[in-house]
């Protein structure tokens, strides 16, 4: 029970101190709105293209929301040494890091629903397979957050966290099938798509929203879950190796 | 959790290396239940590293650590619920208020809402921070930050408290208040492990002291026993115009009852079991072309023992004190 009090309060503190700040809320709304508008105008198609753009915009909103916030907040807490306070608390490192990442996961999931709400005013969403979309959003939220954690553990300065995040994020926009199908990529870089976790989440979303996907849903979910576990365990290992020295 | 007869902290052959540097070199010590134990040494001696090893913020290379009989060697988390830590720098959350910071720290130890709010208010009163309870931590002065960090370390009323340089860099009044709180915690039977480079602070507060230099413990003893050899000694310090190092032999022959020591800072230190007669000494030096600019009687203290045991000049410790910019000793 005591451990869950600690877990809950770390989550609430992070939501209060970082994620629910007005600039972040407005950023969470403006960012997906800008991406939707940009791709919609660029496509030159009618409103029917909104559904084609939706998986990419949802994914990019989660990816940028989670990685930006988590990598920066953890690096900031490390620099100010307030993270030490958490390491001194009588809760396991696994539970501590799950508490630290939960806020970012919720923030990412909330970000994903902004483009859905916008799209609901423009097109009919009744054909979407929600039982696939919702778990996919959650898994993309988790994998993106753990990617942010992995980045945070790999750097020591806040500016490095931002730079290193972009090193992963921007290639993902083009390589993971967000807005361009993977099969349209040159064959010599196509393998890169398959080593990036977001590819599998986007594939589920494309399948659930537009009925087009290249990998079976089961395999997509299994691979995404595997990426979540591997990234989390790698981050824990790095924390033990680099922060508890 | 206290076990009768079991030391609160037991450390055996602890070693910690950072690349080529041996930060903690095969140290062993015990801290008894309810004891106020001082860890005294200059900056870089290994004091903070030792605390980090004991609290689980660093991994040891060799040795064993037991806290209240719990073996923390392999699992540093095992005894964290029994331990409170006040680090050498304030490490609370700048975006939270003083009250929120304390409540959050209490929650980390599983305290329920009513309990943690009551305790936070109590500590804000104790540390004289009640008026600043709703101000963000970022806006606190250095002394206030230090005091709130101290309060956060004891929010869960730990039986064992690690204090890393608790009065370094804060104003005289705050340092005094912090020392009074440490003494009060000790009276309440909290086991306190205090690291400091303020010798007078250690002398005033600690029951037992270990001197640590270059990662090694060079002496551990009860404070009264450390002070015994120098009690009743008369010490006179003469400030002189030239170095008197070459005259040491001649002075020892001329004044057989006195012990002379020449320091690099142009001073001669004279120790004697009897009161030192200053006139013959001044005449002796002036006849050899050395002017005495100041004569000061010195009350022997733990500083003298430290200098004697470690070979580190007290001046070096003073410089560190000044560099830290604190009012720790006043």
């Amino acid at each position: 029970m005591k451990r869950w009090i600690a877990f809950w309060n770390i989550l609430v503190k992070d939501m209060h101190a970082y994620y629910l700040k007005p600039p972040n809320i407005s950023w969470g709304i403006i960012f997906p709105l800008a991406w939707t508008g940009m791709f919609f105008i660029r496509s030159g198609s009618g409103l029917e293209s909104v559904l084609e753009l939706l998986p990419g915009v949802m994914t990019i909103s989660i990816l940028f929301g989670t990685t930006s916030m988590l990598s920066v907040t953890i690096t900031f807490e490390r620099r100010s040494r307030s993270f030490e306070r958490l390491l001194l608390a009588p809760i396991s490192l696994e539970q501590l890091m799950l508490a630290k990442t939960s806020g970012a996961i919720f923030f990412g999931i909330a970000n994903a629903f902004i483009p859905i709400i916008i799209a609901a005013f423009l097109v009919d969403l009744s054909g979407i397979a929600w039982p696939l979309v919702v778990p996919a959003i959650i898994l993309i939220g988790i994998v993106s957050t753990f990617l942010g954690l992995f980045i945070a553990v790999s750097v020591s300065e806040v500016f490095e966290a931002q730079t290193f995040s972009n090193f992963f994020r921007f290639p993902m926009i083009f390589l993971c099938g967000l807005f361009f199908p993977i099969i349209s990529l040159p064959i010599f870089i196509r393998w890169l798509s398959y080593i990036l976790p977001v590819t599998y989440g986007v594939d589920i979303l494309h399948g659930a929203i537009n009925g087009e996907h290249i990998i079976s849903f089961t395999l997509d979910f299994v691979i995404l879950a595997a990426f979540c576990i591997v990234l989390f365990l790698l981050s824990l290992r790095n924390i033990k190796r680099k922060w508890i020295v | 959790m206290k076990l009768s007869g079991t030391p609160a902290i037991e450390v055996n052959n602890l070693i910690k290396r950072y690349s080529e540097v041996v930060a903690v070199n095969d140290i062993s010590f015990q801290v008894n239940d309810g004891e106020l134990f001082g860890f005294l040494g200059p900056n870089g001696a290994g004091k903070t590293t030792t605390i980090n090893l004991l609290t689980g913020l660093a991994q040891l290379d060799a040795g064993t650590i037991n806290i209240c009989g719990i073996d923390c060697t392999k699992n540093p988390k095992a005894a964290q619920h029994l331990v409170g830590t006040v680090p050498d720098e304030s490490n609370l959350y700048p975006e939270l208020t003083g009250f929120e910071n304390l409540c959050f720290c209490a929650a980390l130890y599983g305290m329920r809402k009513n309990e943690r709010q009551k305790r936070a208010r109590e500590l804000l009163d104790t540390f004289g921070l009640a008026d600043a309870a709703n101000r963000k931590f970022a806006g606190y002065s250095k002394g206030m930050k230090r005091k709130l960090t101290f309060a956060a370390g004891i929010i869960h009323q730990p039986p064992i408290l690690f204090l890393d340089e608790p009065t370094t860099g804060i104003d005289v009044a705050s340092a005094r208040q912090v020392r009074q709180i440490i003494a009060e915690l000790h009276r309440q039977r909290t086991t306190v492990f205090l690291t400091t480079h303020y010798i007078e602070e250690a002398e005033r507060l600690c029951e037992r002291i270990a001197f640590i230099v270059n990662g090694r413990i060079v002496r551990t003893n009860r404070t009264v026993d450390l002070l015994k050899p120098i009690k009743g000694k008369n010490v006179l310090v003469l400030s002189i115009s030239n170095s008197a190092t070459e005259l040491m032999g001649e002075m020892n022959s001329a004044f057989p009852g006195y012990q002379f020591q020449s320091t690099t800072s142009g001073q001669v230190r004279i120790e004697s079991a009897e009161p030192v007669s200053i006139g013959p000494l001044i005449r002796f030096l002036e006849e050899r072309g050395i002017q005495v600019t100041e004569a000061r009687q010195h009350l022997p203290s733990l500083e003298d023992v430290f200098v004697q045991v470690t070979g580190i000049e007290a001046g070096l410790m003073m410089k560190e004190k000044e560099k830290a910019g604190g009012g720790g000793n006043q």
Side-chain angles (χ1 to χ4, degrees):
Chain A
M1 184 61 189
K2 284 187 170 185
R3 289 177 179 189
W4 291 109
I5 291 175
F7 182 98
W8 174 249
N9 278 275
I10 292 168
L11 171 60
V12 170
K13 195 276 290 173
D14 280 359
M15 295 301 279
H16 168 67
Y18 306 126
Y19 300 109
L20 296 180
K21 292 277 180 203
N24 288 329
I25 296 170
S26 58
W27 188 78
I29 296 168
I30 290 166
F31 188 77
L33 200 66
W35 279 95
T36 312
M38 188 173 79
F39 280 98
F40 182 63
I41 293 162
R42 181 69 188 85
S43 70
S45 328
L47 284 175
E48 65 276 13
S49 66
V50 168
L51 279 179
E52 286 169 33
L53 297 173
L54 198 54
V57 177
M58 284 162 67
T59 309
I60 212 168
S61 301
I62 302 171
L63 183 66
F64 275 72
T66 52
T67 49
S68 302
M69 289 301 294
L70 191 78
S71 57
V72 169
T73 55
I74 289 192
T75 314
F76 172 73
E77 286 192 5
R78 274 275 298 153
R79 294 293 298 167
S80 67
R81 291 184 62 185
S82 47
F83 197 81
E84 274 179 17
R85 214 152 256 295
L86 304 176
L87 291 174
L88 290 169
I91 56 170
S92 68
L93 188 60
E94 291 77 7
Q95 205 170 11
L96 164 62
M97 294 322 295
L98 283 175
K100 285 302 285 177
T101 49
S102 296
I105 293 168
F106 289 137
F107 184 68
I109 292 169
N111 273 3
F113 282 95
I114 306 290
I116 294 174
I117 293 165
I118 297 167
F121 290 102
L122 303 173
V123 291
D124 177 18
L125 302 180
S126 61
I128 293 177
W130 293 107
L132 286 172
V133 169
V134 173
I137 288 174
I138 294 169
L139 274 179
I140 296 170
I142 296 172
V143 85
S144 303
T145 302
F146 289 169
L147 185 65
L149 177 63
F150 179 74
I151 291 162
V153 181
S154 308
V155 300
S156 49
E157 300 288 345
V158 175
F159 77 90
E160 285 176 323
Q162 283 293 11
T163 316
F164 199 38
S165 298
N166 289 336
F167 178 78
F168 285 98
R169 290 185 304 204
F170 283 103
M172 279 189 188
I173 297 174
F174 302 102
L175 293 170
C176 294
L178 270 69
F179 302 104
F180 319 101
I182 291 170
I183 46 167
S184 68
L185 292 171
I187 199 144
F188 63 94
I189 57 166
R190 209 176 292 168
W191 63 273
L192 279 170
S193 305
Y194 294 102
I195 59 163
L196 296 168
V198 169
T199 300
Y200 304 94
V202 177
D203 193 54
I204 302 168
L205 291 179
H206 275 304
I209 294 171
N210 301 308
E212 294 161 9
H213 59 109
I214 50 173
I215 305 162
S216 82
F217 288 135
T218 312
L219 191 59
D220 278 331
F221 277 117
V222 168
I223 295 174
L224 256 184
F227 265 112
C228 291
I229 294 165
V230 169
L231 279 171
F232 187 65
L233 293 178
L234 266 179
S235 302
L236 286 184
R237 194 192 65 146
N238 284 350
I239 289 170
K240 282 179 191 157
R241 280 176 48 190
K242 295 176 76 172
W243 293 357
I244 308 170
V245 288
Chain B
M1 179 179 158
K2 291 188 180 188
L3 301 173
S4 60
T6 308
I9 304 165
E10 190 176 12
V11 168
N12 288 307
N13 308 108
L14 198 62
I15 297 177
K16 177 66 188 171
R17 294 184 198 89
Y18 291 109
S19 306
E20 298 300 303
V21 180
V22 186
V24 171
N25 195 353
D26 197 19
I27 64 170
S28 300
F29 61 89
Q30 279 189 3
V31 181
N32 300 319
D33 188 19
E35 189 176 32
L36 206 166
F37 185 82
F39 217 47
L40 185 63
N43 282 344
K47 302 187 297 289
T48 300
T49 305
T50 305
I51 284 199
N52 286 345
L53 291 166
L54 294 172
T55 55
L57 285 180
Q59 285 174 15
L60 47 84
D61 290 315
T64 59
I65 296 171
N66 277 273
I67 305 236
C68 286
I70 301 170
D71 186 357
C72 303
T73 314
K74 291 268 167 18
N75 180 16
K77 287 259 166 205
Q80 274 181 333
H81 61 292
L82 300 170
V83 163
T85 309
V86 179
D88 57 345
E89 277 176 38
S90 299
N91 65 352
L92 294 171
Y93 294 89
E95 64 280 0
L96 300 186
T97 65
F99 180 70
E100 288 169 341
N101 261 304
L102 290 187
C103 287
F104 176 69
C105 290
L108 292 177
Y109 291 86
M111 287 168 72
R112 290 178 186 278
K113 195 175 179 182
N114 289 345
E115 194 189 354
R116 58 182 183 250
Q117 287 185 343
K118 188 176 162 236
R119 177 81 177 136
R121 285 197 193 94
E122 203 177 279
L123 284 172
L124 285 164
D125 275 341
T126 307
F127 283 86
L129 295 169
D131 291 341
N134 296 319
R135 266 167 54 192
K136 291 231 162 106
F137 183 68
Y140 276 28
S141 71
K142 209 170 179 183
M144 289 163 82
K145 280 183 177 171
R146 205 79 191 93
K147 285 196 278 185
L148 196 76
T149 307
F150 196 117
I154 57 170
I155 189 91
H156 56 299
Q157 296 174 295
I160 299 174
L161 182 61
F162 290 99
L163 300 174
D164 195 1
E165 313 267 1
T167 56
T168 298
I170 59 173
D171 61 275
V172 180
S174 299
R176 189 179 157 82
Q177 194 185 6
V178 165
R179 276 195 296 267
Q180 283 167 350
I181 289 165
I182 295 170
E184 181 54 32
L185 286 166
H186 178 46
R187 267 192 293 279
Q188 293 167 7
R189 300 293 297 158
T190 302
T191 305
V192 181
F193 183 93
L194 168 79
T195 78
T196 182
H197 56 246
Y198 294 132
I199 298 173
E200 295 90 336
E201 183 169 274
E203 182 178 342
R204 210 179 301 176
L205 289 171
C206 301
E207 283 176 285
R208 221 152 48 90
I209 291 173
F211 293 148
I212 180 166
V213 181
N214 295 327
R216 279 183 181 279
I217 291 180
V218 290
R219 173 83 58 90
T220 309
N221 212 338
R222 293 195 317 149
T223 311
V224 283
D225 292 333
L226 284 169
L227 290 168
K228 239 178 224 168
I230 55 161
K231 282 282 179 229
K233 263 193 182 172
N234 295 284
V235 180
L236 188 76
V237 178
L238 298 180
S239 297
I240 51 176
S241 56
N242 312 84
S243 170
T245 314
E246 290 167 11
L247 292 174
M248 285 298 106
E250 203 180 331
M251 286 175 90
N252 278 319
S253 314
F255 303 94
Y258 299 167
Q259 277 184 310
F260 292 91
Q261 194 190 350
S262 175
T263 69
T264 50
S265 49
Q267 289 184 330
V268 176
R269 183 187 161 91
I270 304 121
E271 280 184 22
S272 164
E274 302 298 321
V276 179
S277 301
I278 191 167
L281 276 169
I282 294 175
R283 271 195 302 280
F284 178 90
L285 289 165
E286 283 181 347
E287 279 165 13
R288 283 150 187 86
I290 295 170
Q291 296 297 312
V292 177
T293 56
E294 190 190 2
R296 193 161 40 86
Q297 194 183 7
H298 176 76
L299 289 173
S301 67
L302 190 66
E303 187 171 298
D304 300 276
V305 182
F306 182 82
V307 173
Q308 203 177 41
V309 171
T310 64
I312 295 174
E313 272 191 46
L316 181 70
M317 298 285 278
M318 286 301 290
K319 272 181 201 162
E320 284 182 359
K321 220 179 287 178
E322 284 158 16
K323 221 194 297 179
N329 276 319
Q330 291 88 341

